[in-house]
Every structure is written in C-alpha cells, then in structure tokens.
Amino acid sequence: MDGAPTPEEDFSALSIAERLAHKNWKARVSAYETLVKTFQATPSETDPAFKPYISSPDLLKKMVTDSNVVAQEKGVETVIAFVKFAGETAARTREVVVPALVDKCLGSTRQGTKAKAIELILEYVEVENGAAAIVDDVLPGLNAKQPKAVAGAVSVLKDIIRLYGPVVCPPKSVFKALPKIFAHSDQTVRAEGSQLVQSLYSYVGDAIQPAIAELKPVQIKELTEACEALKAAGKGPGSFKPERITRAGQREREVQEAAGIEEVEAPPEEIDPLQFVSETDVVAKFPPDLYANLASSKWKDRKTALDDLAAVLTPMQKIKDSPPEFAELVKALAGRMPDANIMCVMAAAACVEGLAKGLGSPFGRYREIIVTPMIDRLKERKQNVTDALGLALDAVFATVTFPDIIGDVLPHLSSKNPQVKEGAVKFLHRCMLSTKTPPAPPQVKPLSEAVASLLADSAEP
C-alpha cells in the first residue's frame, strides 16, 4: 500500500559484536539495550558477560563516544549498568572511559547524556573506592575549548565532593584548580565554581581560604558572603555528610550490620582544615636580618621585623616543620613578650598564634619556652594586648594536652599581680572547656587546691 511506513529493521538476529560494529546507529542501540538487560541479569560480579569489556575497555569507550547522539546517550547508560553490576573489577576500565566522558559527553547538548555521564563518573568513584584518580581524569576538562564542557567538568568535581566527601575525594588538587575556574571568561563556569567552593566549605570550612586568596577581590568577597550565608543557615563546616559510599564502605557497613552494631547518628565530625592543604616552607620567606632586628634597641626596627614575620606566619596554611629554625624563632618571640612597646608585644603574640596554628602539634615542643613569658605579660592592663596574648595562648594549647599545660599555669594562679592571676585563671578555664584529656591523677589535688584558694581571693575582675 502506497504511503505505508517502512517497517523497522530487526537487528536481533545479529550477534552483539556485529551490532556494536554496525554502521546503522539503530543496530548499535539494539546492542546497547541488550547489554543493559544482560548486565542487570548477571548473578555475580565475576559473570563471564563482563569479561570481553574488562579485557577490551576500548569497546566501552566506543559506546560513550558513539557518533550518533541518541545512540551515545544509550551507550553511556549501558556502561553505567556495566560498572554497577561488574563492581570493583570494572575499575580497571576507568582510565580509558572517564577521559572519553570528559572529552565527548560533559559538553553534550543533550541533557540526558550529560547527566548520565556524570552518574557514570560517580559510579567509577564508588567501584574504585576513591576519587583521586577520577579527579585527575576530570581536571583536563577545565582546558576544553567549549565553555559548556568546562562547566560540565566543574559540575562533576562539585558532585564528587558533595556526594562522597573529602575523605574519599581529598580536595588538594581541586583547590589548585580553583584559580583557573574563576579566571574563566564564561559566567556559567564561574557559577559552577561558586557551587563547588560552597560544597567544599560545608565540609572543610576555612581550609578553602588559601585556595581562593589569588582570586579577584570581588570574587573573594562574593564567595565569603556565600559561605557565611551557609554557616548562618546551619550548613557550615562539618554540616555535610556523604550521601554515597564506596564499595569498600558498603562492605564495612554490612560487617557492622551482621555483627549487630547499630549505626548511631553521630555529631558533625570535627575536621582539621589543614589536612587538605599543602605544606608551606615559611622559613624561606623569613625577612632578612630578622633576628638582628628583633633584638634592635629601636622599637620601630623590632615592630617592622615582627610585622613582616606576621605577614609570613599568620595566613591560614600548613607550615612545614623545621625544628632548629623554629626553636630559635620561638625563643626570640619569647624575648619580645616583656618588650616595653605594647605594639611589639601584640605583633609577637600574632606571630606565635600563626606559627602554632600552622604547625599544629609539632609546635607543642616549644610550649615551655613561650607559655610562661606570655602569661607573665598578662599583667598588661590594655585589653587589646591581653586579647592578643589570649589568642596566642589558646593557639598554643591547641597543640598540646591539658596535662601538658597545667604545670605552666599553676604557678601563676598564686601570682602577686592580680592581672596575671586573673589572666591565668581565664586561660585555665578556656583550656578546661575545650580539653578532651583529663588531668593526670597526681595533678588533680594541686590543681583543685590552687583553684579553691582563688575563691577567697579579694581581687575583683
């Protein structure tokens, strides 16, 4: 009959291999549909159905780079099924498939293809039990010529961070990519970058600050305001929890369930932001003639040297340990605590605070050198000086334990100077509020007696 529609060609008689290599895109789609059903029906991850594609991952690459856009979307869907049901064995195909997705799918005009490509990348994170290698595969996408492809790559990075968290996806390499993302001329790329930064912030907080420090001032301002809004809404550092887990994580959960261990809703985990930051060698940045100027009889020389040193030490950073140099530096800073010029005292306190925060627990070895001179200087009546000293003392305490600090504080609780005594009590109180380690048994009695004696003190705060 004239005008009757041409019947659809039936490709089912052809083998999977013949259909995959067929010139007609509908034949390839037929193969993809059959493979999806085959993978879904496999009884285990070691099923022979997966073997041809694990041994020849280029077959998977051809699916996700199919020249026909309709077939390409179906090809990506097929590989999702392959990875999901082949499990951790499928991770061996990642280095071939993921770069192809970044190159040919993330910039697709078909929303379905792009969404499925992102899902496939997330599946690879799951079966690889980590995202570091996947991130390395995605980052070259930031150099794509098409802005939509770049935006797609940034979107993938955001989803990996948001859904798996910084433990599965250590963000150091993502941090390094932020300046490139925000330097892009396309507004959509930068908008995706903003979402990426906010996802990072909700996990690691201010650890993002060094990564965005090189951006334009207006960009830093906008990102800071966005992060502050998240914090105000209860979505600040530590508030995000991973929504997806790796296969290794799934096995661990199954073992716990089998052992009858119930999963308890844990409070937000405290995350050390510096664990995600690369070490900085600050010694190489010390100002010239540092120690000569710190010992100068001219207060302006001392103040300039301390200000220059503070500029090196106070930015948020993970400081590379250098014991001989830092021992000498802490001794020099301790020598500035009795300085007759209070501006030098405050600058020295800022340097101690920055070094303690950046160095972390290794700074604890210098506690005995610096704590007593700082508490002694709490005799100063000016609030801005005692505030600076308080911040420095708190930073030092964060590098040690409560039992470590008790011996340094106790003598000052009986000081003849009321300001020193008051400052020491306040510092001890702050330590007690934040400590997770109780005093050692021999320390309990002298500490209790010293605190109890203050109840009869006639001095008023």
Side-chain angles (χ1 to χ4, degrees), residues 367 397 400-410 428 431-432 435-444 447:
R367 183 205 81 247
F397 176 64
V400 297
T401 66
F402 188 48
D404 293 333
I405 210 77
I406 290 175
D408 299 317
V409 179
L410 277 180
L428 181 65
C431 293
M432 288 178 169
T435 186
K436 295 180 180 178
T437 308
Q443 294 177 314
V444 174
L447 179 61

Side-chain angles (χ1 to χ4, degrees), residues 21-44:
H22 207 286
K23 291 183 179 180
N24 190 319
W25 66 269
K26 293 182 180 180
R28 299 195 297 275
V29 167
S30 172
Y32 300 154
E33 291 173 342
T34 300
L35 283 173
V36 169
K37 294 176 182 178
T38 300
F39 296 149
Q40 291 173 341
T42 52
S44 73

Side-chain angles (χ1 to χ4, degrees), residues 57-201:
D58 280 339
L59 292 173
L60 302 175
K61 179 180 178 181
K62 288 179 180 178
M63 296 179 194
V64 301
T65 58
D66 198 297
S67 58
N68 180 277
V69 293
V70 177
Q72 182 187 30
E73 182 174 341
K74 198 67 181 180
V76 176
E77 183 181 329
T78 304
V79 184
I80 290 175
F82 166 78
V83 174
K84 183 176 292 186
F85 292 99
E88 287 161 291
T89 310
R92 290 158 54 184
T93 66
R94 182 267 312 160
E95 61 183 11
V96 173
V97 176
V98 173
L101 293 170
V102 174
D103 188 38
K104 297 296 184 182
C105 298
L106 295 183
S108 175
T109 54
R110 291 178 66 90
Q111 191 59 35
T113 300
K114 179 181 174 182
K116 289 173 183 175
I118 292 175
E119 174 58 28
L120 178 51
I121 292 172
L122 295 173
E123 289 283 348
Y124 269 113
V125 174
E126 180 179 318
V127 300
E128 187 143 303
N129 295 314
I134 287 92
V135 168
D136 288 343
D137 288 337
V138 172
L139 287 175
L142 301 180
N143 299 319
K145 292 182 180 179
Q146 292 184 327
K148 58 185 177 182
V150 180
V154 179
S155 181
V156 170
L157 296 174
K158 173 196 67 181
D159 285 350
I160 293 174
I161 288 288
R162 180 175 59 84
L163 296 173
Y164 285 101
V167 175
V168 173
C169 181
K172 284 185 181 180
S173 56
V174 179
F175 284 163
K176 292 178 181 178
L178 291 179
K180 175 179 285 190
I181 293 170
F182 283 94
H184 202 281
S185 59
D186 186 77
Q187 183 177 355
T188 303
V189 172
R190 298 195 303 274
E192 288 288 352
S194 178
Q195 293 297 314
L196 170 60
V197 167
Q198 291 176 57
S199 293
L200 286 164
Y201 176 78

Side-chain angles (χ1 to χ4, degrees), residues 47-59 82:
D47 193 274
F50 302 120
K51 188 175 180 181
Y53 308 98
I54 292 171
S55 58
S56 300
D58 280 339
L59 292 173
F82 166 78

Side-chain angles (χ1 to χ4, degrees), residues 363-378 393 396-415 420-421 423-425 427-428 431 443 446-447 450:
F363 185 91
R365 65 171 74 99
Y366 313 119
R367 183 205 81 247
E368 294 182 59
I369 300 173
I370 195 66
V371 170
T372 293
M374 288 199 295
I375 296 179
D376 285 340
R377 191 55 200 251
L378 290 172
L393 284 167
V396 173
F397 176 64
T399 70
V400 297
T401 66
F402 188 48
D404 293 333
I405 210 77
I406 290 175
D408 299 317
V409 179
L410 277 180
H412 296 87
L413 298 181
S414 57
S415 173
V420 172
K421 189 186 300 184
V425 171
F427 174 48
L428 181 65
C431 293
Q443 294 177 314
L447 179 61

